[in-house]
Amino acid sequence: MTTLTYRDYLRIDNLLSIQVPRTPDTARTEVVLAEHFFIVAHQTCELWLKQIIADLGAAAEALAPEPAPGEGGLETGDAELSAEFLERASDLLFVLHAQLVALEKLPLRLFAEFRPYLDTASGAESAQFKALSRLLGDDIDPGRLYEAFRTAAESAGTSMAEVCRLGSRAGVFHRIAELLLDIGNGYWRWKVAHLGLMSRSLGQQAGTGGSSGATYLAGRLTMPFGELRRLRGEVHDEFAANFQAQNAA
Ligand code: HEM
């Protein structure tokens, strides 16, 4: 019997065979290497997105009172388990952010040389990034994760406003609320860093996907979990009013 090797277990040969620059082999090495760097940054981003989406989906599932039909394999009604998944996803958003910062070391002259080979391919087409955005929600749709959290809190006899008001006394629900805000801010931090990266490389030039570039991306700087942020603002005002009333008495 042969023993399993690192190379086989991780399918290293497959993994290292899929970074294929479109710059012709005849181009200077530094151009090919710059495109290789650009490809690695995008591919690793997609890999981490896969993990983040799976973790956030599992976090929502763990909050459900019962397994949904067809789902299974995960303990439901377990807010602590949900928090564990959320913590990992929150940390991974820092990893995604760090990758964008590293991409700032893509020399402009080399980017300009290989960029025509990207043709109309654009990060805006990333199906996983769209899936992440849907999970986190926006001003119109609160998203599956937040809905699962609200339902779990209500099933436990509390409300989102109460969780915000009680703070650490709301136990695991408070921790989940904090983690959701960490994740929402992590998503936003990535978008701001991406806009910064994009505008330092292209200024006001249009994107390969045909958008106006910086202006388009600036218009997409949404912050997920709007209800939670609004409620916290209201609770903040309640606390401030109580504090003032006590001092005036
Ligand atoms: C030099 C590096 C980069 C540049 C110049 C750049 C440029 C752009 C531009 C101009 C857009 C707007 C759409 C278009 O017209 O193409 C865009 C969108 C996007 N890019 Fe990048 N990008 C870079 C790196 C990355 C990386 C590493 C990722 C990670 C996968 C990424 C993911 C995305 C996503 C997800 C969108 C859509 C954002 C949204 O809908 O809000 N980009 N990018």
Side-chain angles (χ1 to χ4, degrees):
M1 200 180 84
T2 53
T3 48
L4 183 64
T5 63
Y6 175 87
R7 179 177 170 187
D8 286 343
Y9 174 60
L10 294 172
R11 303 185 186 214
I12 298 292
D13 294 348
N14 282 352
L15 186 66
L16 300 187
S17 70
I18 55 168
Q19 293 71 45
V20 189
R22 286 171 60 89
T23 311
D25 292 343
T26 49
R28 295 183 335 280
T29 305
E30 65 262 39
V31 185
V32 179
L33 257 186
E35 190 186 352
H36 184 271
F37 175 39
F38 184 81
I39 292 171
V40 169
H42 281 80
Q43 287 183 342
T44 46
C45 178
E46 289 290 338
L47 277 179
W48 285 125
L49 279 173
K50 185 178 179 196
Q51 184 69 41
I52 292 170
I53 292 165
D55 282 340
L56 294 180
E61 198 183 326
L63 283 169
E66 286 166 18
E71 282 186 6
L74 191 78
E75 206 59 49
T76 51
D78 187 341
E80 285 293 347
L81 179 62
S82 178
E84 202 172 273
F85 286 121
L86 292 175
E87 267 164 27
R88 185 160 66 202
S90 173
D91 281 359
L92 290 180
L93 283 167
F94 281 106
V95 177
L96 274 190
H97 177 258
Q99 285 180 196
L100 276 191
V101 174
L103 206 46
E104 290 180 358
K105 300 295 172 300
L106 178 69
L108 187 57
R109 67 186 191 288
L110 304 179
F111 182 43
E113 253 182 83
F114 75 75
R115 190 165 176 253
Y117 295 108
L118 305 182
D119 198 13
T120 56
S122 162
E125 294 164 340
S126 168
Q128 291 204 103
F129 196 82
K130 286 180 189 156
L132 174 66
S133 305
R134 272 197 307 276
L135 254 173
L136 298 183
D138 53 33
D139 289 343
I140 299 155
D141 172 10
R144 175 172 158 226
L145 188 55
Y146 187 72
E147 294 282 28
F149 177 44
R150 187 165 48 194
T151 307
E154 285 168 5
S155 308
T158 185
S159 67
M160 293 287 95
E162 195 62 4
V163 169
C164 294
R165 205 171 287 119
L166 288 175
S168 59
R169 284 170 296 151
V172 68
F173 289 123
H174 167 67
R175 289 220 318 284
I176 290 181
E178 293 288 320
L179 282 163
L180 290 184
L181 291 168
D182 288 345
I183 288 166
N185 283 5
Y187 173 78
W188 189 73
R189 190 174 52 236
W190 186 92
K191 285 201 154 198
V192 172
H194 176 260
L195 170 57
L197 170 69
M198 182 262 135
S199 70
R200 74 190 278 160
S201 317
L202 295 174
Q204 292 297 324
Q205 305 295 331
T208 47
S211 82
S212 59
T215 309
Y216 167 77
L217 291 173
R220 294 185 54 78
L221 287 178
T222 50
M223 269 191 161
F225 311 122
E227 181 176 272
L228 209 46
R229 294 173 201 279
R230 180 179 54 76
L231 288 170
R232 284 167 71 103
E234 286 171 15
V235 168
H236 167 275
D237 286 356
E238 276 174 36
F239 282 138
N242 286 346
F243 181 69
Q244 276 178 1
Q246 276 164 16
N247 275 1

